[in-house]
Amino acid sequence: MSCSAAISTNGMVYSFAAAAASLRMFRLAIVAVDARVQPTIGDQPSLCALGEAVSQHQDSMQRALGDLTYGRYGLNVTVVGWYHDTSLGEISDTTMIQNSDRYFTLPQSAGDLDLSEFDLLMLYGLADSGSSEAAQGQSQLVRDLACEAACEERGEDSCLTTCQIGGRSDFGTIFAINTVSHTSSWREGNAAATSLLVPSTSLMRALLRSLGVREDAGGLYCGTVDPRAHDTATTLADPTAVPFRRN
């Protein structure tokens, strides 16, 4: 599948719409940031391939979400990057997550993407050390740090509120720092333990958490490739909101 992109200030913007419309389409922005002080030339994953893996592959997160919800949920995916920010010096995965507002707002500051148009934000990062995948449910705000600094210089009192991206505090956030991303799945002969889905089963678990899932799907445990090995029942914070399928 060919992949086209719009040219942005610092990188490229790729958009992937779902093949079929669902009752609720979540808008996912994947912000790719290389924060390493000494990056290895040529080792940045292809953002085109990442977007296709998330939304177009036969074993994609997009397809899994639709299958689990009987087609009621879907994803419209936008990938933007690569951005380069080494201003914090040598950085670990946990430090990158702790400073996620700084990285999430890079496309906003460059005028490449309006984050307020999205429901879910994924920081797809490269750090000098460590590896993390984590997520937070739809109750997160993203701070515009440049706005806050200017606001504080003016002596205003409500900077945190006025400088939230989109004036919102309902983003779901996903963090994938130095993570392994597959472009092929177990059914295509990939023997990796996280290849039940692409880019990975662990990222699918993070996606579910960002949507407010209370418990992980047993069949998505990272060490299990065989999809028959676990019950894949999943529950939401509001169990009546979406009918999740039990295999």
Side-chain angles (χ1 to χ4, degrees):
M1 178 181 297
S2 62
C3 189
S4 59
I7 299 175
S8 71
T9 302
N10 289 280
M12 306 293 282
V13 180
Y14 300 91
S15 296
F16 303 85
S22 302
L23 291 180
R24 173 67 193 275
M25 299 301 299
F26 287 99
R27 298 157 297 179
L28 168 64
I30 303 176
V31 180
V33 180
D34 191 340
R36 298 172 296 175
V37 173
Q38 295 182 327
T40 302
I41 302 300
D43 70 341
Q44 293 175 344
S46 163
L47 297 186
C48 175
L50 174 63
E52 289 181 346
V54 170
S55 61
Q56 308 291 330
H57 192 276
Q58 63 176 337
D59 294 313
S60 66
M61 292 162 56
Q62 167 84 269
R63 183 161 182 172
L65 181 62
D67 187 46
L68 285 169
T69 62
Y70 296 96
R72 297 194 178 195
Y73 277 17
L75 296 173
N76 284 327
V77 180
T78 298
V79 187
V80 60
W82 284 92
Y83 295 93
H84 301 268
D85 186 336
T86 59
S87 55
L88 296 182
E90 189 167 314
I91 194 170
S92 69
D93 55 328
T94 54
T95 302
M96 198 168 186
I97 292 174
Q98 290 166 356
N99 291 273
S100 59
D101 287 335
R102 177 187 201 90
Y103 303 115
F104 275 137
T105 54
L106 289 175
Q108 185 96 6
S109 300
D112 297 333
L113 213 60
D114 183 359
L115 296 182
S116 66
E117 297 179 352
F118 294 86
D119 307 296
L120 309 173
L121 306 177
M122 179 190 295
L123 176 58
Y124 190 80
L126 296 176
D128 293 295
S129 62
S131 177
S132 293
E133 289 178 351
Q136 297 171 318
Q138 290 183 280
S139 60
Q140 309 304 310
L141 60 86
V142 176
R143 299 162 54 205
D144 186 332
L145 302 182
C147 171
E148 283 188 16
C151 178
E152 290 170 357
E153 283 186 8
R154 295 192 298 269
E156 298 179 15
D157 297 326
S158 56
C159 298
L160 180 60
T161 301
T162 58
C163 291
Q164 293 177 19
I165 295 295
R168 295 171 47 190
S169 59
D170 61 348
F171 291 106
T173 52
I174 302 169
F175 307 104
I177 314 299
N178 291 351
T179 189
V180 175
S181 296
H182 304 294
T183 56
S184 62
S185 67
W186 64 275
R187 80 170 77 220
E188 297 170 309
N190 190 336
T194 56
S195 67
L196 174 60
L197 299 173
V198 295
S200 71
T201 52
S202 51
L203 273 183
M204 182 63 194
R205 293 171 63 198
L207 172 67
L208 293 177
R209 288 184 180 180
S210 75
L211 290 173
V213 173
R214 181 181 297 167
E215 298 175 5
D216 285 330
L220 298 180
Y221 285 145
C222 300
T224 300
V225 174
D226 188 345
R228 299 163 297 181
H230 290 287
D231 185 350
T232 58
T234 310
T235 56
L236 292 175
D238 178 4
T240 64
V242 179
F244 268 67
R245 196 158 92 181
R246 181 184 295 271
N247 289 346

